[in-house]
Amino acid sequence: MNIVVCAKQVVDVSEIKIDPQTQKPIITGIAKKISDIDKNALEEGIRIKEKHGGKITVISVGSADVKERIKELLAMGADEGVLVVPPDNADYAMISHILAGVIKKIGSYDIVLCGEASIDMFSGQMGPRIAGFLGIPQITYAQKVSAEKDHVVSERNLGDKIVTMESLYPVLITVTKEINVPRLPSLMQILGSASKPLLIWPMDGVVSGQLIHKISTIDVKGVPMQRKNIVYKDDIDKSVEKLVNDLAKEGVLR
Amino acid sequence: MVLVYSDEKNLLLELIHLGKDLAKDEHKKVTAVIIGPDHHSKDYIMHGADVVVVVDCAIHPFKAEEYTDILAEVIKENKSEIVLIGSNKNGKELAPRLAAFFDTGCITDGTKVYMKDKKLTVERIVYSGNAVSVEQFTSKPEIVTIPSKVVDPLPKDENHKGDIIKKTIPVKPSPSKIVSVHQMKSESVNVEAAEIIVSCGRGLKNKQDIHLISELADVLKGRTVGCSRPIAADLKWLSEDHWIGLSGHKVKPKLYIAAGISGQIQHIAGMRDSGVVVAINKDPDALIFKSADYGIVGDLYEILPKLTTAIKAKME
Ligand SMILES: Cc1cc2nc3c(=O)[nH]c(=O)nc-3n(C[C@H](O)[C@H](O)[C@H](O)COP(=O)(O)OP(=O)(O)OC[C@H]3O[C@@H](n4cnc5c(N)ncnc54)[C@H](O)[C@@H]3O)c2cc1C
Ligand SMILES: Nc1ncnc2c1ncn2[C@@H]1O[C@H](COP(=O)(O)O)[C@@H](O)[C@H]1O
């Protein structure tokens, strides 16, 4: 089974602060990591490989420092990493062209795995876009994947219902956070990952022709949140009493 | 031309209204699309649609590949410039695939959609609620998905006229199939409209303990129970209509009480517009206190019954 996992480096959104002067989110200098659900996608890939054998290629479009992040994924169990550095301010259309181009260049693939959404942009676009470019079926929001030899059965969690789908290969699947618990690599695996191939592919050879923006971001406005942060820590009875008085004063107990 | 589509009737009614607003200045028409048997075309017209295209293809459960082909065909024929798609999970997997088909831009979960300098402009929440991104298209068709309740449907107008066009579009069958559909239990709770919400997280030890939450909710006007993602998605103690957060429902009650919720940013994304926020957590360093107006550090099993009694006494 040839498995491709798409993994994106994101800023740790929980660290973002709003600049009080400009009212813009401060993004530079914030810790970066692999988007959480992409690790679930890789974990699912590893489990499929454990069952059927094969190869897992992790691919990412991002800045050169994503190399360090890909090493973590190689330690987890991916066999090979491919990174492509995109043009500045690339939008979804451009990045999806690159990812689809990388997958086409890899050539033989049975399952492409993505996260249901990336935790910084949370748009859930990339998976369906790639599946569209590759002309293969897609199963999104998968909470369960059972990969068999010649087909896959997967449960889509739509919130109000579960739709069980079956597909032939190749197929693109986007997974939810609930599908599994990603493993932590052992020290041995971390050391071993250094010898696994991690390639940086140039853009030419991956996409033909010029990539064109389809969206322009004209502004990013910070959304600050101000709270009173009054916390009662002592005696529970007293705390409850104070809280109830506060709520009465706030006028929410009517 | 503006084209609107959703497999949910209410969402489609809302999209028709939004489509009308966007079409207004340029006197464009709003076309609503039904895929499958025609159930509500007359309703759509009475709520503002100028044209309803009914693509009747026997019994056709949703599959993104096939629906993309169908909608693409309608969009081409209709020369649609703006395409609004309801942002439920089917819509969210359909829109980007459609965008790949046309090699165009797509913006998911637009919370504000308007014309600015004659350009379609969409605002969406990014960085887990820390920011709003304002985006415009440099390509057509312009595809946007819209969550429910961004606008209300237009009032019903019995006299509004429109055309109903029936169509059959041949589709290439997808190599995937639907094996089964399992309807999940829903409590039909509307957290988005709730005035007061008491929410629980993994601080609860058992499903049975939810009564502690609902009893507090019951003494407060509002009576609505919410929860974090793990309670609905992992443990399935509550149905997904209680789920609040980035990937759940966005709420703005007057009062939001979070008990046993750690306050991760993805949860905050769903409740940050609340009026007064109260947190109950046994960990004094829990993040939730940073997003709260009032908090009590302690065991929710001890605090909640006392709080319920005290609020009941106060309200009498
Ligand atoms: C892409 C993405 C989307 C997500 N979307 C959502 C979303 O929409 N909504 C959402 O909620 N989460 C979402 N999450 C998950 C989120 O990151 C957190 O994992 C989740 O909110 C944690 O839930 P929790 O607070 O219930 O559990 P925990 O983080 O386990 O917190 C439990 C809390 O209970 C406290 N506690 C334990 N026992 C007691 C007691 N006896 N009394 C008082 N306090 C106690 C603990 O101190 C702890 O703070 C998302 C995550 C990702 C990656
Ligand atoms: N730059 C990228 N490189 C690799 N994979 C990506 C990239 N962007 C998005 N993805 C994949 O697409 C999924 C959905 O991302 P998004 O469309 O941003 O919500 C992610 O979980 C990844 O699996």
Side-chain angles (χ1 to χ4, degrees):
Chain A
M1 200 78 75
N2 286 314
I3 302 160
V4 176
V5 178
C6 302
K8 177 185 180 187
Q9 172 172 267
V10 295
V11 290
D12 186 344
V13 283
S14 61
E15 308 261 294
I16 293 177
K17 303 251 170 349
I18 309 300
D19 185 321
Q21 249 83 55
T22 61
Q23 294 292 307
K24 304 248 180 255
I26 305 169
I27 307 299
T28 38
I30 289 189
K32 291 177 185 169
K33 59 174 186 176
I34 290 292
S35 185
D36 304 41
I37 305 180
D38 299 357
K39 289 198 172 166
N40 298 91
L42 174 57
E43 174 65 36
E44 206 53 33
I46 297 171
R47 292 182 190 188
I48 295 169
K49 183 186 159 182
E50 282 168 352
K51 190 167 160 195
H52 294 285
K55 178 178 173 188
I56 303 172
T57 310
V58 171
I59 65 175
S60 189
V61 172
S63 48
D65 60 340
V66 180
K67 250 186 120 166
E68 296 311 309
R69 300 283 96 71
I70 297 180
K71 281 185 191 155
E72 296 162 20
L73 303 177
L74 294 173
M76 252 180 89
D79 298 296
E80 190 173 307
V82 176
L83 171 64
V84 179
V85 181
D88 285 346
N89 303 318
D91 66 3
Y92 271 95
M94 296 163 84
I95 293 174
S96 57
H97 270 299
I98 302 172
L99 285 167
V102 169
I103 297 170
K104 282 184 188 158
K105 194 170 165 189
I106 290 171
S108 65
Y109 55 91
D110 301 293
I111 302 188
V112 180
L113 292 161
C114 290
E116 63 167 294
S118 59
I119 71 161
D120 54 349
M121 290 303 132
F122 208 71
S123 75
Q125 280 206 41
M126 211 54 88
R129 272 186 181 269
I130 296 169
F133 285 142
L134 298 175
I136 62 175
Q138 66 192 47
I139 301 176
T140 57
Y141 304 100
Q143 62 168 12
K144 192 169 176 221
V145 174
S146 313
E148 306 301 334
K149 236 180 144 50
D150 56 355
H151 71 278
V152 62
V153 179
S154 180
E155 290 179 10
R156 291 184 74 208
N157 185 341
L158 302 190
D160 56 346
K161 54 179 176 279
I162 308 284
V163 177
T164 307
M165 309 272 300
E166 190 183 303
S167 176
L168 300 172
Y169 300 119
V171 62
L172 181 142
I173 300 178
T174 78
V175 305
T176 64
K177 187 170 148 4
E178 285 73 30
I179 192 166
N180 57 38
V181 179
R183 68 195 61 193
L184 294 172
S186 67
L187 188 60
M188 282 300 285
Q189 285 175 309
I190 294 172
L191 296 174
S193 69
S195 61
K196 291 184 176 177
L198 204 179
L199 315 168
I200 297 191
W201 283 359
M203 286 269 292
D204 19 307
V206 172
V207 284
S208 53
Q210 183 89 21
L211 291 176
I212 301 164
H213 282 95
K214 311 288 180 180
I215 297 283
S216 69
T217 300
I218 58 171
D219 195 11
V220 179
K221 303 183 277 195
V223 186
M225 183 172 57
Q226 245 101 48
R227 294 288 171 193
K228 296 198 177 83
N229 304 124
I230 299 169
V231 181
Y232 301 118
K233 297 189 178 144
D234 23 69
D235 178 73
I236 297 274
D237 288 303
K238 283 216 187 76
S239 302
V240 167
E241 194 188 316
K242 284 184 201 153
L243 175 62
V244 173
N245 286 333
D246 293 332
L247 295 181
K249 268 191 219 129
E250 293 275 4
V252 289
L253 294 187
R254 280 191 289 255
Chain B
M1 294 293 179
V2 180
L3 184 128
V4 296
Y5 170 75
S6 175
D7 55 6
E8 263 176 64
K9 182 184 174 194
N10 258 328
L11 201 41
L12 188 51
L13 290 173
E14 293 167 9
L15 296 184
I16 292 170
H17 184 178
L18 193 57
K20 286 292 247 199
D21 285 350
L22 299 175
K24 202 164 50 198
D25 288 345
E26 313 199 0
H27 310 287
K28 289 179 184 158
K29 285 191 171 167
V30 175
T31 301
V33 183
I34 297 174
I35 301 177
D38 178 2
H39 287 309
H40 306 294
S41 57
K42 295 215 169 65
D43 283 339
Y44 297 142
I45 287 177
M46 286 189 284
H47 283 92
D50 301 300
V51 180
V52 179
V53 174
V54 183
V55 185
D56 197 353
C57 30
I59 165 86
H60 226 296
F62 177 86
K63 261 187 265 166
E65 305 78 272
E66 295 171 3
Y67 272 46
T68 299
D69 287 351
I70 295 171
L71 269 187
E73 211 44 54
V74 181
I75 290 168
K76 276 193 272 179
E77 233 170 86
N78 191 259
K79 301 196 170 51
S80 321
E81 293 163 312
I82 297 177
V83 177
L84 306 178
I85 292 180
S87 205
N88 56 18
K89 287 193 172 157
N90 284 345
K92 274 185 79 165
E93 74 154 352
L94 174 64
R97 188 161 180 133
L98 202 53
F101 180 95
F102 286 106
D103 196 9
T104 188
C106 172
I107 301 172
T108 51
D109 288 324
T111 49
K112 279 191 192 148
V113 184
Y114 49 91
M115 301 305 280
K116 186 182 173 196
D117 309 328
K118 296 207 161 162
K119 284 193 194 138
L120 182 65
T121 309
V122 183
E123 298 191 2
R124 74 182 302 269
I125 294 166
V126 294
Y127 301 126
S128 211
N130 279 314
V132 167
S133 160
V134 187
E135 304 180 1
Q136 288 177 337
F137 290 84
T138 51
S139 61
K140 280 195 169 42
E142 304 168 322
I143 302 176
V144 188
T145 79
I146 314 282
S148 61
K149 313 225 166 53
V150 166
V151 293
D152 289 325
L154 285 170
K156 188 168 171 175
D157 173 2
E158 308 262 352
N159 297 321
H160 187 260
K161 293 268 175 313
D163 301 325
I164 298 174
I165 301 174
K166 298 230 186 274
K167 251 188 206 335
T168 43
I169 295 175
V171 265
K172 197 168 125 247
S174 157
S176 72
K177 65 175 188 232
I178 292 168
V179 183
S180 65
V181 178
H182 173 71
Q183 212 65 40
M184 303 246 268
K185 194 174 95 280
S186 150
E187 277 120 49
S188 309
V189 182
N190 188 353
V191 284
E192 278 155 16
E195 292 235 317
I196 293 182
I197 296 174
V198 187
S199 235
C200 53
R202 283 231 309 255
L204 281 185
K205 295 187 181 74
N206 296 294
K207 184 178 176 183
Q208 291 85 301
D209 303 340
I210 289 175
H211 76 91
L212 293 170
I213 305 292
S214 53
E215 277 160 18
L216 176 56
D218 279 346
V219 301
L220 290 159
K221 208 172 95 193
R223 300 182 174 216
T224 307
V225 171
C227 67
S228 66
R229 175 164 174 154
I231 298 291
D234 292 285
L235 302 166
K236 302 198 163 46
W237 289 352
L238 286 168
S239 58
E240 68 84 39
D241 38 4
H242 296 268
W243 166 352
I244 289 162
L246 181 64
S247 48
H249 298 275
K250 311 270 181 301
V251 300
K252 36 176 185 259
K254 282 193 312 195
L255 172 63
Y256 188 86
I257 303 183
I261 294 179
S262 57
Q264 301 290 318
I265 183 128
Q266 292 86 13
H267 185 78
I268 305 304
M271 45 64 78
R272 53 186 296 144
D273 297 334
S274 302
V276 177
V277 175
V278 174
I280 298 167
N281 198 301
K282 68 175 185 191
D283 173 8
D285 298 324
L287 277 174
I288 190 75
F289 292 120
K290 293 212 171 84
S291 304
D293 295 295
Y294 303 99
I296 302 184
V297 176
D299 187 346
L300 67 90
Y301 284 89
E302 194 185 338
I303 296 168
L304 283 178
K306 288 185 173 169
L307 187 59
T308 305
T309 312
I311 288 181
K312 204 168 170 185
K314 189 92 184 175
M315 291 184 54
E316 266 161 12

